[in-house]
């Protein structure tokens, strides 16, 4: 459980640097340079994800609550939508006209979707920790109108949406292979 918590804390700490805008990130890029800063950030992010994966695999399963099977589909739907939302931030999309922070919204939905399937302590640490981080960052950044007013051609939007849906299906399929469940 310690490795899992350390991974979540490291991930959140790394992602607080850009949130602190003028201070920590600016100082580090001034001292290290932009490319070394980005390289260290990437290495730190990989280490944090590695700690989370390893910590998840070795953490004891201590149940906290269960969710009625009748609503398990809702968690799967939220996790599916989270992938589509998250990926919509990497291509021009009309969705960005309605959602100010698609990646953060995607992480929040991913977290909620997994917590709707029931939770053990390690699930609360991982999904709860990253979900709270995403909501906190979105709150600090502001819930105002979306940053993008750009309207993209419909065929580009449909192409990106199709790729995102395909990615969500593949991720769900692999998740089912690895964990033996989709719902």
């Amino acid at each position: 459980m310690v490795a899992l918590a350390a991974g979540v804390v490291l991930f959140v700490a790394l992602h607080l640097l850009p949130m602190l805008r003028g201070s920590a990130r600016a100082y580090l890029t001034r001292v290290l340079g932009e490319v070394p800063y980005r390289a260290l950030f990437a290495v730190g992010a990989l280490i944090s994800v590695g700690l989370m994966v390893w910590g998840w695999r070795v953490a004891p399963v201590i149940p906290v609550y269960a969710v009625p099977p009748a609503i398990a589909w809702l968690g799967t739907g939220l996790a599916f939508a989270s992938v589509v939302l998250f990926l919509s931030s990497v291509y021009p999309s009309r969705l960005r006209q309605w959602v100010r922070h698609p990646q953060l919204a995607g992480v929040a939905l991913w977290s909620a979707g997994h917590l709707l399937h029931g939770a053990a302590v390690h699930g609360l640490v991982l999904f709860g920790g990253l979900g709270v981080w995403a909501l906190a960052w979105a709150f600090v950044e502001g819930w105002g109108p979306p940053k993008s007013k750009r309207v993209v051609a419909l065929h580009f939007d449909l192409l990106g949406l199709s790729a995102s849906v395909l990615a969500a299906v593949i991720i769900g399929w692999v998740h089912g292979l690895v964990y033996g469940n989709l719902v």
Side-chain angles (χ1 to χ4, degrees):
M1 191 75 71
V2 172
L4 176 62
V8 171
V9 168
L10 178 59
F11 183 88
V12 170
L14 282 170
H15 286 81
L16 284 177
L17 290 175
M19 204 175 184
L20 300 175
R21 289 227 160 62
S23 55
R25 186 185 192 283
Y27 174 76
L28 288 171
T29 53
R30 191 171 55 250
V31 170
L32 301 172
E34 185 69 28
V35 173
Y37 166 78
R38 287 178 181 250
L40 284 173
F41 187 94
V43 168
L46 287 173
I47 290 170
S48 71
V49 169
L51 282 169
M52 287 187 276
V53 169
W54 179 60
W56 178 268
R57 303 292 291 180
V58 300
V61 177
I62 305 167
V64 176
Y65 64 88
V67 175
I71 64 168
W73 62 270
L74 184 58
T76 302
L78 287 177
F80 181 86
S82 75
V83 173
V84 173
L85 253 177
F86 191 89
L87 293 178
S88 75
S89 68
V90 299
Y91 61 87
S93 169
R94 292 170 193 242
L95 193 58
R96 291 169 144 193
Q97 294 175 338
W98 300 309
V99 181
R100 182 174 174 97
H101 309 288
Q103 282 187 341
L104 296 174
V107 171
L109 286 180
W110 169 81
S111 170
H114 281 82
L115 291 174
L116 268 174
H117 278 278
V121 172
H122 67 305
L124 292 175
V125 170
L126 178 63
F127 305 123
L130 293 179
V132 167
W133 161 78
L135 291 173
W137 192 346
F139 179 77
V140 168
E141 287 283 316
W143 295 103
K147 296 176 183 176
S148 176
K149 300 280 188 227
R150 182 177 170 207
V151 177
V152 298
L154 183 59
H155 65 282
F156 287 125
D157 211 21
L158 292 174
L159 181 64
L161 182 61
S162 299
S164 296
V165 168
L166 179 62
V169 168
I170 291 169
I171 290 169
W173 177 70
V174 170
H175 192 282
L177 289 176
V178 173
Y179 294 104
N181 62 349
L182 278 176
V183 176

